[in-house]
Amino acid sequence: MLKVAVLVSGGGTNLQALIDAVQHGTIKNADISLVISNKKNAYALERAANNHIPAKCISKADYESLEEYDQAMIDAIRESGAELIVLAGFLVVLSKRFVKEFEGRIINIHPSLIPAFCGEGFYGLHVHEAVLKRGVKITGATVHFVDDGTDTGPIIAQKAVEVYEKDTEEILQRRVMEQAEWIILPQAVDDIANGRISLIDGKVVREETE
Ligand code: GRF
């Protein structure tokens, strides 16, 4: 059973999609062993509590240095026994040290088709705002392994979503979540937990199993 730690900052709808998928058996051989939020009032923490999942708030502001914050995060994840870390709307940029510590075992969901609309400053509604401003007709979501860049790691899965003329940022964000994020993130966790996806020499390798 693969233990998974989910890192969140906000509403936690992606966390909910993971919880539901584990409960319904869409994700097999994995269990969410810990939820960490950098914000005390994140609704995601309530979702964890409602589902009896251990959860804690670890905020940079509570530590004197970045090193201490990193250590607290690393310790919490190690203690939980998690072997896969899922960034599900986690708005803190992870340090090189953290990424190194869990190399090849961190994945992120990004609400665009990488390499479009990603990198520094492209998070949350800003991504959808930029999509609408540019006038692209197709956007989507990407699940990728995390390396020490911003949204630069090897891509695991992508799903396209149509952009409509009358979309607002909020409407588009919701459609991207419903039609892409909540589908490809649980799928990626299931694929990793069941050995269908692995990272070999920095490349995502997919093995088709029955
Ligand atoms: C999602 O759009 C995710 O892709 C982005 O932040 C949002 C988080 O939403 N990185 P939620 O907290 O999972 O509801």
Side-chain angles (χ1 to χ4, degrees), residues 37-74:
S37 169
N38 64 311
K39 294 199 178 136
K40 285 188 179 63
N41 55 359
Y43 185 65
L45 287 173
E46 265 180 59
R47 294 183 193 270
N50 292 341
N51 289 279
H52 314 290
I53 299 168
K56 53 175 74 173
C57 172
I58 303 180
S59 164
K60 256 185 194 170
D62 296 335
Y63 296 88
E64 298 212 334
S65 66
L66 196 59
E67 287 70 30
E68 284 176 43
Y69 166 72
D70 269 353
Q71 197 57 54
M73 293 283 287
I74 291 168

Side-chain angles (χ1 to χ4, degrees), residues 40 81 102 105 164:
K40 285 188 179 63
F102 299 106
R105 289 185 287 145
Y164 300 135

Side-chain angles (χ1 to χ4, degrees), residues 10-14 88-89 109-111 173 177 181:
T13 62
N14 279 290
I109 177 82
H110 181 78
Q173 179 182 52
M177 285 173 158
E181 296 183 45

Side-chain angles (χ1 to χ4, degrees), residues 9-20:
S9 295
T13 62
N14 279 290
L15 167 67
Q16 190 67 54
L18 293 171
I19 293 171
D20 293 347

Side-chain angles (χ1 to χ4, degrees), residues 2-8 15 18-19 31-37 44-45 48 52-58 72-86 98 102:
L2 180 76
K3 289 188 178 176
V4 182
V6 184
L7 277 47
V8 294
L15 167 67
L18 293 171
I19 293 171
D31 212 13
I32 304 172
S33 63
L34 177 66
V35 170
I36 299 178
S37 169
L45 287 173
H52 314 290
I53 299 168
K56 53 175 74 173
C57 172
I58 303 180
M73 293 283 287
I74 291 168
D75 289 348
I77 292 167
R78 277 208 200 121
E79 274 164 31
S80 77
E83 287 169 301
L84 177 69
I85 300 166
V86 178
F98 184 94
F102 299 106

Side-chain angles (χ1 to χ4, degrees), residues 154 198-205:
S198 29
L199 189 62
I200 299 171
D201 295 334
K203 286 220 162 68
V204 173
V205 178

Side-chain angles (χ1 to χ4, degrees), residues 183-203:
I183 299 166
I184 62 174
L185 184 61
Q187 244 165 29
V189 171
D190 184 53
D191 283 342
I192 293 169
N194 294 285
R196 288 186 293 271
I197 288 281
S198 29
L199 189 62
I200 299 171
D201 295 334
K203 286 220 162 68

